[in-house]
Amino acid sequence: MRNKIYVETKIKAPLETVWDYTQTPDIHQQWDLRFSEITYLPKQSEEERQRFLYKTNIGFGISIAGEGESYGTKERDGVRTSSLVFGTEQRLSLIKEGSGFWRYIPAEDGVIFLTLYDYRIRFGALGRYFDKLVFRPLMGWATAWSFDALRLWLENGIHPRSSLYRSLRQLVIAVALCFLWVYQGLVPKLLFPDSGEIALIAQFSLFAGYERLVLQLLGIAEIIFGLLFILLLRSKLLHTCNIGLLIGLLLSGLAFPDVYVAPFNPVTLNVAMMMLSLVCLLEREPAASASHCLRTSPQREDKR
Protein backbone atom coordinates (compact mmCIF):
# COMPACT_ATOMS: atom_id res chain seq x y z
CA MET A 1 0.00 0.00 0.00
CA ARG A 2 1.48 3.32 -1.06
CA ASN A 3 1.70 6.28 1.31
CA LYS A 4 -0.18 9.43 0.43
CA ILE A 5 1.88 12.61 0.31
CA TYR A 6 1.28 14.86 3.30
CA VAL A 7 2.95 18.22 3.94
CA GLU A 8 2.15 20.83 6.59
CA THR A 9 3.62 24.17 7.53
CA LYS A 10 2.65 27.21 9.58
CA ILE A 11 2.71 30.59 7.86
CA LYS A 12 2.59 33.82 9.85
CA ALA A 13 0.28 35.68 7.49
CA PRO A 14 -3.47 36.39 7.20
CA LEU A 15 -5.55 33.52 5.88
CA GLU A 16 -6.83 35.62 2.97
CA THR A 17 -3.25 36.34 1.89
CA VAL A 18 -2.27 32.67 1.99
CA TRP A 19 -5.44 31.84 0.06
CA ASP A 20 -4.67 34.41 -2.64
CA TYR A 21 -1.04 33.28 -3.03
CA THR A 22 -2.12 29.67 -3.45
CA GLN A 23 -5.27 30.14 -5.50
CA THR A 24 -4.02 32.72 -8.03
CA PRO A 25 -2.37 30.87 -10.95
CA ASP A 26 0.24 33.55 -11.78
CA ILE A 27 1.39 33.59 -8.15
CA HIS A 28 1.04 29.86 -7.52
CA GLN A 29 3.40 28.91 -10.34
CA GLN A 30 6.09 31.19 -8.88
CA TRP A 31 6.56 29.17 -5.69
CA ASP A 32 5.49 25.61 -6.54
CA LEU A 33 8.33 23.49 -7.98
CA ARG A 34 5.82 20.96 -9.32
CA PHE A 35 4.33 23.33 -11.90
CA SER A 36 5.88 25.56 -14.57
CA GLU A 37 2.59 26.99 -15.84
CA ILE A 38 -0.97 27.05 -14.49
CA THR A 39 -3.87 28.47 -16.49
CA TYR A 40 -7.48 28.78 -15.34
CA LEU A 41 -10.12 28.07 -17.96
CA PRO A 42 -13.21 30.33 -18.19
CA LYS A 43 -16.19 29.30 -16.06
CA GLN A 44 -19.72 29.25 -17.41
CA SER A 45 -21.21 29.97 -13.97
CA GLU A 46 -20.09 30.71 -10.41
CA GLU A 47 -21.28 27.29 -9.28
CA GLU A 48 -19.11 25.48 -11.82
CA ARG A 49 -15.86 23.95 -10.63
CA GLN A 50 -12.73 25.76 -11.71
CA ARG A 51 -11.01 23.86 -14.52
CA PHE A 52 -7.33 24.49 -15.17
CA LEU A 53 -4.44 23.45 -17.39
CA TYR A 54 -0.96 22.80 -16.03
CA LYS A 55 2.46 22.17 -17.50
CA THR A 56 5.68 21.00 -15.88
CA ASN A 57 8.99 21.40 -17.68
CA ILE A 58 11.27 18.46 -16.96
CA GLY A 59 14.26 19.58 -19.03
CA PHE A 60 15.71 19.03 -22.51
CA GLY A 61 12.71 20.81 -24.01
CA ILE A 62 10.32 18.17 -22.65
CA SER A 63 7.23 19.05 -20.63
CA ILE A 64 4.31 17.22 -19.07
CA ALA A 65 0.90 18.83 -19.63
CA GLY A 66 -2.41 17.95 -18.04
CA GLU A 67 -5.66 19.35 -16.76
CA GLY A 68 -7.75 19.31 -13.64
CA GLU A 69 -10.47 21.01 -11.68
CA SER A 70 -10.69 22.49 -8.21
CA TYR A 71 -13.27 23.97 -5.90
CA GLY A 72 -13.09 25.74 -2.57
CA THR A 73 -15.31 25.37 0.46
CA LYS A 74 -15.54 27.29 3.71
CA GLU A 75 -15.97 25.04 6.74
CA ARG A 76 -16.71 25.67 10.39
CA ASP A 77 -14.47 27.93 12.50
CA GLY A 78 -13.09 29.63 9.41
CA VAL A 79 -11.28 26.54 8.11
CA ARG A 80 -11.07 26.47 4.32
CA THR A 81 -10.45 23.55 2.01
CA SER A 82 -9.60 23.56 -1.68
CA SER A 83 -10.05 20.15 -3.30
CA LEU A 84 -8.85 19.13 -6.73
CA VAL A 85 -8.56 16.31 -9.22
CA PHE A 86 -5.95 16.22 -11.96
CA GLY A 87 -4.60 13.99 -14.69
CA THR A 88 -3.04 13.73 -18.11
CA GLU A 89 -3.38 11.53 -21.18
CA GLN A 90 0.27 12.15 -22.04
CA ARG A 91 1.90 8.72 -22.09
CA LEU A 92 5.26 10.14 -21.03
CA SER A 93 3.83 11.09 -17.64
CA LEU A 94 4.26 8.62 -14.79
CA ILE A 95 1.17 10.13 -13.14
CA LYS A 96 -2.06 9.12 -14.82
CA GLU A 97 -4.53 10.82 -12.50
CA GLY A 98 -4.73 11.99 -8.92
CA SER A 99 -6.66 13.93 -6.31
CA GLY A 100 -6.11 15.77 -3.07
CA PHE A 101 -6.80 18.93 -1.12
CA TRP A 102 -5.26 22.00 0.45
CA ARG A 103 -6.48 22.99 3.91
CA TYR A 104 -6.17 26.38 5.62
CA ILE A 105 -6.62 26.30 9.40
CA PRO A 106 -6.61 29.64 11.29
CA ALA A 107 -4.00 29.71 14.05
CA GLU A 108 -3.20 32.22 16.80
CA ASP A 109 -0.53 34.05 14.78
CA GLY A 110 -1.08 32.82 11.24
CA VAL A 111 -2.36 29.88 9.22
CA ILE A 112 -1.65 26.16 9.30
CA PHE A 113 -1.39 25.30 5.61
CA LEU A 114 -1.40 21.62 4.68
CA THR A 115 -1.95 19.29 1.77
CA LEU A 116 -2.76 15.63 1.30
CA TYR A 117 -2.80 14.03 -2.14
CA ASP A 118 -2.27 10.79 -4.01
CA TYR A 119 -2.15 9.63 -7.63
CA ARG A 120 -2.33 6.59 -9.88
CA ILE A 121 0.61 5.75 -12.10
CA ARG A 122 1.45 4.15 -15.42
CA PHE A 123 3.99 1.52 -16.57
CA GLY A 124 2.88 -1.37 -14.38
CA ALA A 125 5.25 -2.94 -11.86
CA LEU A 126 8.22 -0.97 -13.15
CA GLY A 127 6.31 2.27 -12.65
CA ARG A 128 5.29 1.24 -9.12
CA TYR A 129 8.87 0.49 -8.09
CA PHE A 130 10.17 3.71 -9.62
CA ASP A 131 7.40 5.68 -7.93
CA LYS A 132 8.10 4.11 -4.52
CA LEU A 133 11.88 4.46 -4.64
CA VAL A 134 12.37 7.72 -6.55
CA PHE A 135 9.38 9.66 -7.80
CA ARG A 136 7.12 9.77 -4.73
CA PRO A 137 9.94 10.81 -2.34
CA LEU A 138 10.92 13.47 -4.90
CA MET A 139 7.34 14.75 -5.14
CA GLY A 140 7.07 14.87 -1.36
CA TRP A 141 10.34 16.79 -1.11
CA ALA A 142 9.32 19.23 -3.88
CA THR A 143 5.98 19.88 -2.18
CA ALA A 144 7.59 20.50 1.21
CA TRP A 145 10.33 22.73 -0.23
CA SER A 146 7.69 24.74 -2.11
CA PHE A 147 5.59 25.20 1.02
CA ASP A 148 8.62 26.51 2.90
CA ALA A 149 9.51 28.81 0.00
CA LEU A 150 5.97 30.21 0.16
CA ARG A 151 6.37 30.71 3.92
CA LEU A 152 9.59 32.67 3.45
CA TRP A 153 7.96 34.76 0.72
CA LEU A 154 5.04 35.76 2.94
CA GLU A 155 6.96 36.11 6.22
CA ASN A 156 10.31 37.54 5.06
CA GLY A 157 9.64 38.90 1.60
CA ILE A 158 12.13 36.46 0.03
CA HIS A 159 10.94 35.57 -3.46
CA PRO A 160 10.88 31.82 -4.21
CA ARG A 161 13.27 32.36 -7.12
CA SER A 162 15.84 33.74 -4.68
CA SER A 163 15.20 30.79 -2.36
CA LEU A 164 15.78 28.40 -5.26
CA TYR A 165 19.06 30.05 -6.30
CA ARG A 166 20.24 30.05 -2.67
CA SER A 167 19.40 26.36 -2.28
CA LEU A 168 21.18 25.50 -5.53
CA ARG A 169 24.23 27.49 -4.45
CA GLN A 170 24.37 25.67 -1.12
CA LEU A 171 24.00 22.32 -2.88
CA VAL A 172 26.77 23.07 -5.38
CA ILE A 173 29.15 24.12 -2.58
CA ALA A 174 28.28 21.05 -0.51
CA VAL A 175 28.84 18.69 -3.45
CA ALA A 176 32.16 20.39 -4.30
CA LEU A 177 33.49 20.16 -0.74
CA CYS A 178 32.24 16.59 -0.39
CA PHE A 179 34.02 15.58 -3.60
CA LEU A 180 37.29 17.27 -2.62
CA TRP A 181 37.43 15.72 0.86
CA VAL A 182 36.37 12.27 -0.36
CA TYR A 183 38.86 12.41 -3.23
CA GLN A 184 41.71 13.45 -0.94
CA GLY A 185 40.84 10.65 1.48
CA LEU A 186 40.24 7.94 -1.13
CA VAL A 187 42.76 8.42 -3.94
CA PRO A 188 46.12 9.48 -2.41
CA LYS A 189 45.59 7.84 0.99
CA LEU A 190 43.71 4.59 0.35
CA LEU A 191 44.16 3.75 -3.33
CA PHE A 192 47.62 5.16 -4.10
CA PRO A 193 49.40 5.67 -0.75
CA ASP A 194 52.84 5.36 -2.34
CA SER A 195 52.30 8.51 -4.40
CA GLY A 196 53.90 10.62 -1.66
CA GLU A 197 51.52 10.59 1.28
CA ILE A 198 53.38 7.84 3.15
CA ALA A 199 56.62 9.78 2.74
CA LEU A 200 55.02 12.76 4.44
CA ILE A 201 53.71 10.64 7.34
CA ALA A 202 57.14 9.06 7.73
CA GLN A 203 58.58 12.48 8.60
CA PHE A 204 56.89 12.17 11.99
CA SER A 205 58.84 9.76 14.18
CA LEU A 206 55.77 9.31 16.38
CA PHE A 207 54.19 7.15 13.66
CA ALA A 208 57.26 5.04 12.89
CA GLY A 209 56.20 1.56 11.81
CA TYR A 210 52.53 2.55 11.55
CA GLU A 211 52.70 4.93 8.58
CA ARG A 212 50.32 2.97 6.33
CA LEU A 213 47.77 2.43 9.12
CA VAL A 214 47.82 6.10 10.09
CA LEU A 215 47.38 7.07 6.45
CA GLN A 216 44.41 4.73 6.07
CA LEU A 217 42.75 6.13 9.19
CA LEU A 218 43.26 9.67 7.92
CA GLY A 219 41.77 8.68 4.58
CA ILE A 220 38.67 7.18 6.21
CA ALA A 221 38.27 10.27 8.42
CA GLU A 222 38.48 12.59 5.40
CA ILE A 223 35.87 10.54 3.51
CA ILE A 224 33.47 10.65 6.48
CA PHE A 225 34.03 14.38 6.92
CA GLY A 226 33.35 14.98 3.23
CA LEU A 227 30.08 13.04 3.32
CA LEU A 228 28.89 15.23 6.20
CA PHE A 229 28.59 18.14 3.76
CA ILE A 230 25.77 16.24 2.04
CA LEU A 231 24.19 14.86 5.19
CA LEU A 232 24.34 18.22 7.03
CA LEU A 233 23.67 20.40 4.03
CA ARG A 234 23.03 23.67 5.88
CA SER A 235 25.23 23.27 8.95
CA LYS A 236 27.25 26.44 9.51
CA LEU A 237 29.12 24.70 12.31
CA LEU A 238 30.40 22.19 9.76
CA HIS A 239 31.70 24.98 7.53
CA THR A 240 33.38 26.62 10.54
CA CYS A 241 35.09 23.32 11.34
CA ASN A 242 36.10 23.01 7.70
CA ILE A 243 37.88 26.37 7.76
CA GLY A 244 39.57 25.53 11.07
CA LEU A 245 40.80 22.14 9.81
CA LEU A 246 42.13 23.60 6.57
CA ILE A 247 44.00 26.34 8.43
CA GLY A 248 45.46 23.66 10.69
CA LEU A 249 46.58 21.61 7.68
CA LEU A 250 48.21 24.66 6.13
CA LEU A 251 50.13 25.41 9.33
CA SER A 252 51.19 21.78 9.75
CA GLY A 253 52.72 21.96 6.30
CA LEU A 254 55.27 24.51 7.49
CA ALA A 255 57.46 21.54 8.38
CA PHE A 256 57.61 20.68 4.66
CA PRO A 257 58.33 23.94 2.80
CA ASP A 258 58.88 22.15 -0.52
CA VAL A 259 55.17 21.33 -0.61
CA TYR A 260 54.20 25.00 -0.86
CA VAL A 261 56.06 25.57 -4.14
CA ALA A 262 54.83 22.42 -5.90
CA PRO A 263 52.21 22.69 -8.70
CA PHE A 264 48.67 22.48 -7.37
CA ASN A 265 50.01 22.75 -3.83
CA PRO A 266 47.92 22.68 -0.61
CA VAL A 267 47.83 26.48 -0.39
CA THR A 268 45.73 26.87 -3.54
CA LEU A 269 43.47 23.92 -2.72
CA ASN A 270 42.92 24.75 0.94
CA VAL A 271 42.27 28.46 0.33
CA ALA A 272 39.73 27.63 -2.38
CA MET A 273 37.94 25.20 -0.05
CA MET A 274 37.94 27.76 2.76
CA MET A 275 36.41 30.37 0.46
CA LEU A 276 33.58 27.98 -0.42
CA SER A 277 32.77 27.55 3.26
CA LEU A 278 33.08 31.29 3.82
CA VAL A 279 30.41 31.93 1.19
CA CYS A 280 28.00 29.77 3.20
CA LEU A 281 28.94 31.42 6.50
CA LEU A 282 28.34 34.90 5.09
CA GLU A 283 24.81 33.97 4.01
CA ARG A 284 22.41 35.89 6.23
CA GLU A 285 18.97 35.25 4.71
CA PRO A 286 17.19 32.01 5.67
CA ALA A 287 16.99 29.30 3.03
CA ALA A 288 13.94 27.25 2.14
CA SER A 289 14.13 23.64 3.25
CA ALA A 290 11.77 20.69 3.01
CA SER A 291 12.88 19.71 6.52
CA HIS A 292 11.03 22.73 7.94
CA CYS A 293 7.66 21.10 7.14
CA LEU A 294 5.77 18.27 8.78
CA ARG A 295 5.62 15.20 6.54
CA THR A 296 3.24 13.08 8.61
CA SER A 297 -0.24 14.04 9.70
CA PRO A 298 -0.60 14.92 13.41
CA GLN A 299 -3.73 14.19 15.38
CA ARG A 300 -5.83 17.32 15.44
CA GLU A 301 -9.38 17.90 16.65
CA ASP A 302 -10.34 20.05 13.69
CA LYS A 303 -9.00 17.54 11.17
CA ARG A 304 -11.68 16.24 8.82
Side-chain angles (χ1 to χ4, degrees):
M1 181 179 180
R2 60 180 182 262
N3 294 320
K4 296 181 180 180
I5 296 176
Y6 180 91
V7 176
E8 175 182 322
T9 189
K10 185 176 183 179
I11 303 176
K12 295 180 181 179
L15 189 148
E16 289 294 339
T17 301
V18 178
W19 179 270
D20 289 341
Y21 273 64
T22 55
Q23 298 292 327
T24 305
D26 291 343
I27 301 178
H28 179 188
Q29 66 191 27
Q30 293 184 55
W31 60 264
D32 200 331
L33 288 180
R34 298 168 298 173
F35 302 101
S36 302
E37 295 181 15
I38 304 172
T39 304
Y40 276 3
L41 298 176
K43 296 171 64 174
Q44 301 299 320
S45 65
E46 288 298 323
E47 292 75 22
E48 183 181 2
R49 293 185 177 185
Q50 178 63 65
R51 296 176 58 242
F52 62 89
L53 304 177
Y54 66 86
K55 183 169 72 172
T56 302
N57 299 325
I58 59 177
F60 307 103
I62 303 174
S63 61
I64 301 296
E67 61 180 284
E69 59 182 32
S70 66
Y71 60 96
T73 61
K74 179 176 286 188
E75 303 178 6
R76 66 177 178 82
D77 300 327
V79 175
R80 292 188 183 183
T81 300
S82 175
S83 303
L84 76 156
V85 294
F86 55 91
T88 176
E89 296 300 322
Q90 197 169 347
R91 297 293 301 175
L92 182 62
S93 173
L94 178 66
I95 295 178
K96 183 177 182 181
E97 60 186 23
S99 63
F101 63 83
W102 285 351
R103 179 155 292 159
Y104 310 73
I105 304 174
E108 183 177 352
D109 55 348
V111 179
I112 296 174
F113 178 47
L114 61 90
T115 186
L116 178 69
Y117 66 95
D118 197 7
Y119 50 82
R120 294 174 55 197
I121 59 174
R122 292 185 170 91
F123 311 124
L126 181 62
R128 290 194 296 273
Y129 281 117
F130 181 76
D131 177 61
K132 180 179 180 179
L133 297 176
V134 179
F135 189 75
R136 189 170 292 262
L138 182 61
M139 287 292 288
W141 173 87
T143 305
W145 188 94
S146 299
F147 272 38
D148 200 48
L150 173 64
R151 179 188 64 82
L152 288 177
W153 194 8
L154 293 177
E155 293 183 358
N156 300 79
I158 301 173
H159 194 276
R161 189 178 297 108
S162 296
S163 292
L164 181 59
Y165 290 156
R166 187 173 297 107
S167 294
L168 289 175
R169 183 166 62 247
Q170 290 178 339
L171 179 61
V172 168
I173 290 174
V175 169
L177 289 172
C178 174
F179 170 78
L180 290 169
W181 276 107
V182 170
Y183 182 91
Q184 291 299 320
L186 180 64
V187 177
K189 293 182 175 63
L190 298 183
L191 299 182
F192 303 98
D194 295 320
S195 60
E197 293 279 349
I198 283 187
L200 291 175
I201 296 293
Q203 300 295 321
F204 297 93
S205 58
L206 178 65
F207 304 128
Y210 299 96
E211 292 88 354
R212 191 171 294 271
L213 175 60
V214 170
L215 193 61
Q216 291 174 342
L217 292 175
L218 286 174
I220 293 172
E222 288 185 357
I223 291 173
I224 293 174
F225 187 71
L227 294 175
L228 289 178
F229 285 97
I230 302 299
L231 299 175
L232 306 175
L233 188 60
R234 293 177 174 81
S235 172
K236 292 195 173 185
L237 177 60
L238 182 62
H239 286 286
T240 302
C241 292
N242 184 54
I243 292 175
L245 283 172
L246 292 170
I247 291 175
L249 289 173
L250 281 176
L251 294 177
S252 67
L254 292 175
F256 313 101
D258 292 343
V259 174
Y260 290 98
V261 295
F264 303 104
N265 61 74
V267 175
T268 56
L269 177 62
N270 288 19
V271 170
M273 293 173 70
M274 286 190 288
M275 291 302 101
L276 289 175
S277 282
L278 187 60
V279 170
C280 290
L281 291 176
L282 292 176
E283 185 68 68
R284 286 292 177 262
E285 291 186 342
S289 173
S291 63
H292 295 160
C293 297
L294 288 176
R295 302 294 297 277
T296 56
S297 177
Q299 296 297 321
R300 186 181 289 118
E301 291 184 359
D302 55 4
K303 187 177 178 184
R304 307 296 189 271

